[in-house]
Amino acid sequence: MHASDAGYGLWLLAAINAAFFIFFAWSFYKPLTRWDWRGFGMFSAFVVALFAEMYGFPLTLYVLGGWLSANYPQVNWLSHDAGHLLEMWFGWRANPHFGPFHIASFVFIGGGFWLLSTAWPVLYRAQREGRLAREGVYARMRHPQYVAFVLVLTGFLLQWPTLLTLVSYPVLVWAYARLARREERDCLSRFGEDYVSYMQEVPAFIPRRRRGPIRSAGEAR
């Protein structure tokens, strides 16, 4: 079976898909600061690696081919559908595009892009006005843009896990957490006690139930 027959070796398709998702994320995110560009660059590298294996060269299937064939002899590991590893492992092989992991991946990816599209206008207005973003989704979490990227990456990982993306995923999550802390140091130097108050009221990544409106540092606590 030729690579193109199996759904691989389609480098133009890989490039088109990677470019589409990168541009789609950029249209919502539009990085401005160096921290923005670093976070977006890491996301872009993950997407390129993913689609290079999805449509280009299935490195993961070749590396694990012997073990996979021995343990799952009923699966045609040369087929494109076999790249949906979680569906193959858990027996959802009729049409992996309707498998539970594939459906869950769309929920994560869609939720991540929705969060990006919701957070960006709030942050952009605040940056233009030279103030702290604390309304909208920023009233529930301090770093929705990084949460959004992690949601999208999680969705891609559920849909088409590869050795490269499995290794890079925890590294990216750690890097996003570091970028968030560096941004907070910048905000503390710019906004001082107002940002301290904001940090006390709003969690960094996982929203909690609001107890009341966010108050500025000048208000009585």
Side-chain angles (χ1 to χ4, degrees), residues 23 35 46 53 75 86-88 98 101-102 132 141 150 169 177 184 195 209 216:
F23 178 78
W35 311 123
F46 184 98
E53 282 212 38
V75 176
L86 293 177
E87 266 74 19
M88 297 297 107
F98 294 99
F101 294 101
H102 202 282
L132 182 63
M141 64 181 80
V150 171
Y169 179 83
E184 289 187 341
Y195 195 77
R209 187 175 179 179
S216 64

Side-chain angles (χ1 to χ4, degrees), residues 161-191:
T162 73
L163 293 175
L164 288 177
T165 55
L166 282 170
V167 170
S168 63
Y169 179 83
V171 176
L172 289 176
V173 173
W174 174 80
Y176 283 140
R178 278 181 58 96
L179 287 175
R181 300 310 178 197
R182 289 178 180 176
E183 283 189 1
E184 289 187 341
R185 289 196 292 269
D186 286 348
C187 288
L188 285 170
S189 65
R190 290 181 60 193
F191 301 107

Side-chain angles (χ1 to χ4, degrees), residues 110-211:
F113 280 122
W114 172 83
L115 187 57
L116 270 182
S117 66
T118 302
W120 170 246
V122 177
L123 180 62
Y124 181 70
R125 286 194 301 268
Q127 288 178 336
R128 290 195 62 181
E129 296 169 8
R131 59 177 177 82
L132 182 63
R134 48 196 316 177
E135 67 272 16
V137 70
Y138 281 90
R140 302 301 305 277
M141 64 181 80
R142 301 198 300 272
H143 304 286
Q145 71 278 23
Y146 294 134
V147 174
F149 280 137
V150 171
L151 287 175
V152 175
L153 297 181
T154 302
F156 281 136
L157 201 62
L158 287 173
Q159 183 177 142
W160 197 281
T162 73
L163 293 175
L164 288 177
T165 55
L166 282 170
V167 170
S168 63
Y169 179 83
V171 176
L172 289 176
V173 173
W174 174 80
Y176 283 140
R178 278 181 58 96
L179 287 175
R181 300 310 178 197
R182 289 178 180 176
E183 283 189 1
E184 289 187 341
R185 289 196 292 269
D186 286 348
C187 288
L188 285 170
S189 65
R190 290 181 60 193
F191 301 107
E193 289 299 319
D194 196 34
Y195 195 77
V196 172
S197 174
Y198 178 60
M199 293 176 69
Q200 293 172 347
E201 294 284 348
V202 178
F205 305 110
I206 301 176
R208 60 173 178 260
R209 187 175 179 179
R210 290 273 303 278
R211 296 180 180 178

